[in-house]
Structure formats: structure tokens, C-alpha cells
Amino acid sequence: MKKFKWIQMIAFVSVLVLLLQGCSTGNSAEKENKSGKETASGDKTGGELVVVRLSDATGLDPHFITDIPSANVVHGKVYETLLAFDKDRNFVPLLATEWKQVDDLTWDFTLREGVKFHDGTPFNGEAVKATFDRLLDPATGSPQKDKLGMISEVVVVDDTHVTIKLSTPYAPLLSILASNEGSILSPKMIQETPDELATHPVGTGPFVFDSWKSGQAITLNKNKDYWGEKAKVDSVVFKVVPEDATRLAMIESGEAHISDQVPVTEIERIENSDKMSLFRTDGLAVEYLGFNTTVAPFDNVKVRQAISYAIEREAIISGVYNNVGTLANVAMSPQVFGYSAEVKAYPYDVNKAKELLQEAGFDKGIKVKLLTSDRKERINMAEVVQSQLKGIGVDVEIQVMEYGSYIQQIENSEHQMLIGGWGNATGDGDYNQYNLFHSASVGAPGNHFYYQNPVVDNLIEQARVETEPSKREEIYKEAMQIEMDDAVYVPIRNYELLAVYSNNVDNFWLDASNYLMLKDVTVK
């Protein structure tokens, strides 16, 4: 009898072991590891992906986001657009499966079926209409309104078809619809709790918003009910780590996996590491020294021109940026449609700078303030500018602020000079010209120069409605030349985008707009 019980016990334990193995391996003989599961085919899924970044987001509502670091948290992750860019910047279907231009003022879109927002609300024509109605409603107060202000009406044909009607032709329409500004929001949130979208985004994307601990971390979880191919990781944590050295150490140790803010001084260390890799690609962004043209002494064009002549831009590219990126000649990247190499920046000429300052009545010197965010390279650039301008009698006081405070300051016109950058989310020159230089974009939308020139406004508006590409390019060239003559800014650098990632990470890339592409990322 005892022997029979012992045999029963052995059999029970054997079955239990098999059951436990079945639970751990799943139906496809997956093997557990610390960060996820490995299938029989070798694909790795699951685990937590940690992205470390210098600063926190400033907000998560696409209708109010005006900076790429904030958009990077939600664009393509929580929120989706009607169409998207592929790696070659071609348009591909997303929430819309097809689209066609009926005439200069009419676009028809066929919508994807079976898609739901994270709150269970169905995605349909009414959701598209609710999104753009909110964006365009003056009562919303969106700084993004003018980017799609030519939309006169969104007509819901049925659940899967909408027509977008324009008041005027708009050449870059599709590029804007594919960008963060074209994100489709939950109509339930828009109707019931629109203010909560700033801190609790609800979209249709492959990741669902989980939490935001201000100044610390934002967490997104895998959308298990996603309509398309599901994300490979279980969660993404955007962790705020202000110190450059700490972020890099976290990548090297495996505590974190990705950082898209890489000190140029650390490139050699990363490339020589057997634990980290460097992603590099030409970007659509530009970096510049800008003037608030409405405050003294920069309301005087001769002062702005003097500063422009006194900046040795090549020294900044080599000394500060270690030749990462290229010397800019205008506030538009060579990768962007509408760029012109024929518009020339001011050459380095100290004598001309002194002469202009004297003509402006500042021959006895001048004191100014230069505002920058707390990114290391920007601080270094500010110090170089400070040194260079000292040579013409300009005493520069550097103001360094955390990114959120920096954005607030420039959006409130509380600066004299600034070191800034402008990312382009569309690849079209309108995104640079309208946002940086049109008088309607003064303040939060992007015109932190507070520059207003009716001639430039008219040219930018002409380019928006012109459908012939070569004519648009000529219009942009004319506008950029006037902006250069008015010395609104000093172009410094065309971005080369950098990201460091752990060798335990696969399928990661940055697009040309500097968006982190995370849906297909796996962690070993």
C-alpha cells in the first residue's frame, strides 16, 4: 500500500512539473528571461523598456504640445494619425486606409474599421471630426490651430468615410496630418474631460498611458487590444535623469536602455563600448541664436546685425559640437523641402560688428542677457557666444533654466537673446517658416523672435497655397533672404540626431524628426 502511495506521489509531482513548465513556456515553447520571453523563432517580447531623458514633458495634449521632447512621449505611442511617415518619409496608411484629393479644396479619407480608443470608444468619422473641431475652435486656444487653420469643415459621410474641406489650397496638408498635430483624440475625453488630456492622454496607439510622476517618470503600458501588430515590450518608462554622465552610466549598466540626448563629448566612449551602440542620422532640425526683436536693444536691426557679424559659427560647430551636424545657413535644414543654399548667413567680421554697434549708438558697450536651457552643449555654446561678443564690447549675462522654465520664459517674451532649436515634424518648409516667422505664430506656436513683417507674412501665406513645388521654393528663398537681412537670428547648426542604446535592445531607430520609434523594439 505504501509503495502504491509513493508511486502516486511521484506521478503527481511529475505532472505538476510538466504543468509548471507549460505555464512558463506557453504554447510556443517560450523561454523566460529577466526582461521578457523568447519564442521558438528567436523573437523577444515583454519586459520594461526604460528611456532616460534630460527633462520632463511640458504637457501631453497634442493640441497644446509645441516641443518635440513632449511630443515624443505620445506621438506614435499613445496617439495615432490618419496617415504616417515610413523610414523614407513616404506617406503610409494608419488610421486612414486610403485618401484622395478630389480638388484643390477637398480631400476624402477612408477610415480603418474595428479600431477602439483606450477608453473603449470606437474610432470613426465622428472621432475625426471631434478632434479637428476642438483643435480649430478659438475657445480651445490651441497654439497649433493655425497649422491646420485652412480646414473649413470636416464632413462625416459615415463611420468609415470623412471629407476634409479647405478654405484655401494647402500644399503641406498631408504632412501636418501625419505629424503630432494630426493626432486623433478620444471623443469621449474631448466631450467629458478635455482638460485632463494634458495629463492623461487617450488615443488608439500601441501603448496606453499609465501614470505621470511629475519630474520623475511617465509610464506607458502595452495596448493588449491594439488593432494592429502589438508592441513587443510590456511597458515603456520615460525617466527624467538630468545628469548626462548618469544617463550614460545607466545605459552602460543595463539599468536603462535608450537615451536620445547624447553629449557629443561621449561619442568616442559609446563607439568603443561593447555594451552600448550609437544611432546617428541627419535630422530635420536647426539650431540658432535668436533675438527678441521687440525688446531693447534688439529692437534695433543694426544691433542684431552687429551680433550676427561677431559670431564665429564655425568655431561653435567644431569646438562645442565636435563637428556633429553641419553649419547652417538658414533656419531650415537641407533635408527640408524649401531649403535654399543661396541665402547666406552673415560672415564673421569683427570690424563690421563694431562699426554697426557704433552706428546704433552703443560705441561705449552694451549689456545683454542670453537665455538657454540646461542642456550641456547649449550651455557651452552660450559660453562661447559670451566670449566672442566680449570682443566687440557686448557684455553677456548667461541665464540657464530647466527646460520647462525655459519654454515658459520664451513663450512669455521674457528674454532678450536665446539659444534655440526648431525641429521639423513634416519635412516641409511651411513648418519652419509659418511657425518661426509668421506674426500669427508669435509666442507659444514658435515665433520666439516676436518678429512681425507683413511682407514675410504674405510670402509665407503665398507658399501655403502654391501647388507648384518650384514656385514654392522661390517664395521660401525670398522670405528667408528678408529674414536674414532683418537679422532675426544667427543660424548655427543643422542637426545630426544621436541616440545611445543598450546592446540588449533591438529594432530601435529615430526618425528624421527625432521621434523615438519604439513599437517594434525588443529587450533581451
Side-chain angles (χ1 to χ4, degrees):
M1 189 69 176
K2 285 183 181 180
K3 184 177 180 182
F4 176 72
K5 285 184 177 180
W6 177 245
I7 292 171
Q8 278 187 314
M9 185 176 294
I10 291 174
F12 173 76
V13 170
S14 299
V15 170
L16 182 62
V17 168
L18 287 171
L19 284 172
L20 288 173
Q21 285 179 337
C23 290
S24 66
T25 60
N27 294 331
S28 56
E30 294 167 332
K31 294 182 243 176
E32 289 285 344
N33 62 30
K34 285 195 288 186
S35 32
K37 296 175 286 186
E38 184 175 332
T39 66
S41 62
D43 295 331
K44 296 171 183 63
T45 62
E48 179 182 85
L49 178 70
V50 178
V51 179
V52 283
R53 49 214 322 254
L54 173 66
S55 305
D56 204 354
T58 57
L60 301 178
D61 184 340
H63 291 172
F64 290 88
I65 291 173
T66 57
D67 61 283
I68 295 291
S70 297
N72 228 331
V73 176
V74 292
H75 180 60
K77 292 107 178 157
V78 175
Y79 286 115
E80 294 181 305
T81 48
L82 294 177
L83 58 157
F85 293 106
D86 65 12
K87 283 189 176 183
D88 298 318
R89 305 296 292 179
N90 298 313
F91 295 121
V92 292
L94 197 55
L95 290 177
T97 57
E98 297 177 23
W99 55 89
K100 65 177 180 178
Q101 185 173 13
V102 179
D103 54 46
D104 284 350
L105 302 179
T106 311
W107 288 81
D108 287 342
F109 292 84
T110 301
L111 308 181
R112 192 175 297 278
E113 298 183 56
V115 177
K116 288 190 176 182
F117 289 92
H118 302 152
D119 58 8
T121 309
F123 165 74
N124 54 29
E126 292 293 344
V128 176
K129 179 175 174 58
T131 292
F132 291 119
D133 282 356
R134 177 190 186 241
L135 173 64
L136 299 171
D137 185 351
T140 302
S142 169
Q144 307 288 23
K145 175 179 177 292
D146 285 332
K147 292 177 184 173
L148 286 166
M150 70 300 303
I151 295 179
S152 60
E153 186 181 10
V154 177
V155 179
V156 179
V157 179
D158 55 39
D159 279 355
T160 58
H161 294 86
V162 296
T163 297
I164 293 181
K165 294 187 175 182
L166 309 180
S167 56
T168 60
Y170 184 49
L173 177 67
L174 293 183
S175 64
I176 290 285
L177 292 178
S179 303
N180 180 63
E181 293 84 350
S183 299
I184 306 300
L185 285 56
S186 162
K188 182 179 179 182
M189 290 289 288
I190 290 173
Q191 182 178 1
E192 297 178 4
T193 53
D195 291 344
E196 290 185 14
L197 286 165
T199 55
H200 192 104
V202 178
T204 60
F207 293 98
V208 178
F209 174 80
D210 177 71
S211 63
W212 183 3
K213 296 178 181 177
S214 184
Q216 298 180 49
I218 297 173
T219 301
L220 312 178
N221 292 330
K222 176 180 181 176
N223 180 4
K224 295 178 181 178
D225 299 317
Y226 184 58
W227 60 266
E229 185 178 343
K230 294 174 177 56
K232 302 295 191 296
V233 294
D234 293 327
S235 61
V236 179
V237 180
F238 294 90
K239 191 173 291 187
V240 178
V241 181
E243 300 81 15
D244 291 341
T246 305
R247 290 197 303 276
L248 206 58
M250 290 174 71
I251 302 289
E252 197 162 28
S253 68
E255 186 180 350
H257 304 105
I258 296 170
S259 176
D260 61 338
Q261 292 156 331
V262 180
V264 295
T265 53
E266 301 293 346
I267 289 176
E268 187 175 351
R269 173 186 169 187
I270 296 168
E271 290 181 333
N272 290 333
S273 171
D274 59 359
K275 297 180 179 179
M276 300 182 288
S277 295
L278 187 67
F279 185 95
R280 306 177 74 151
T281 188
D282 290 333
L284 304 181
V286 289
E287 199 155 27
Y288 48 77
L289 173 72
F291 306 106
N292 186 335
T293 61
T294 63
V295 301
F298 299 115
D299 53 353
N300 187 322
V301 66
K302 289 188 176 182
V303 174
R304 302 196 300 265
Q305 289 171 338
I307 300 293
S308 300
Y309 276 115
I311 301 299
E312 190 176 2
R313 300 176 305 122
E314 292 86 349
I316 294 173
I317 297 295
S318 59
V320 174
Y321 286 102
N322 199 23
N323 293 314
V324 173
T326 58
L327 187 66
N329 63 303
V330 290
M332 191 184 294
S333 162
Q335 310 296 319
V336 173
F337 173 84
Y339 166 81
S340 174
E342 295 178 28
V343 181
K344 305 297 182 184
Y346 289 79
Y348 179 56
D349 190 334
V350 173
N351 292 330
K352 184 65 175 176
K354 290 179 178 178
E355 179 185 321
L356 284 163
L357 275 184
Q358 187 172 11
E359 290 177 13
F362 294 103
D363 50 308
K364 293 183 179 179
I366 184 174
K367 289 186 177 182
V368 298
K369 294 180 179 179
L370 172 58
L371 177 67
T372 180
S373 64
D374 54 356
R375 187 167 180 172
K376 184 178 180 181
E377 288 87 0
R378 295 253 175 115
I379 296 171
N380 292 345
M381 190 204 299
E383 291 171 349
V384 172
V385 169
Q386 181 186 53
S387 176
Q388 291 179 352
L389 294 186
K390 188 175 182 180
I392 62 167
V394 176
D395 182 9
V396 177
E397 176 188 338
I398 298 173
Q399 299 172 297
V400 180
M401 291 191 173
E402 178 273 327
Y403 188 70
S405 300
Y406 163 85
I407 291 291
Q408 186 176 30
Q409 189 110 338
I410 60 178
E411 289 184 351
N412 291 331
S413 188
E414 297 172 353
H415 62 289
Q416 287 184 304
M417 284 197 301
L418 79 154
I419 291 174
W422 189 255
N424 187 302
T426 66
D428 190 279
D430 180 72
Y431 203 91
N432 287 66
Q433 282 293 301
Y434 195 92
N435 295 312
L436 286 174
F437 301 105
H438 197 282
S439 57
S441 298
V442 160
N447 184 348
H448 304 137
F449 314 120
Y450 292 82
Y451 174 66
Q452 298 188 54
N453 184 324
V455 176
V456 170
D457 283 356
N458 184 51
L459 287 168
I460 294 170
E461 290 160 13
Q462 284 181 43
R464 283 190 145 191
V465 302
E466 177 57 61
T467 56
E468 174 57 47
S470 61
K471 290 181 180 178
R472 289 188 75 214
E473 288 176 322
E474 284 299 314
I475 294 169
Y476 283 138
K477 183 172 74 172
E478 185 178 349
M480 288 188 289
Q481 187 59 63
I482 295 171
E483 293 150 10
M484 190 61 65
D485 293 341
D486 286 345
V488 181
Y489 66 100
V490 180
I492 300 295
R493 185 174 74 110
N494 300 309
Y495 273 56
E496 180 183 2
L497 304 177
L498 304 177
V500 57
Y501 61 98
S502 165
N503 286 348
N504 289 330
V505 167
D506 285 328
N507 301 321
F508 162 71
W509 59 286
L510 281 175
D511 82 345
S513 296
N514 205 26
Y515 285 123
L516 298 159
M517 310 306 285
L518 303 181
K519 186 172 78 72
D520 296 324
V521 166
T522 58
V523 180
K524 297 176 186 176

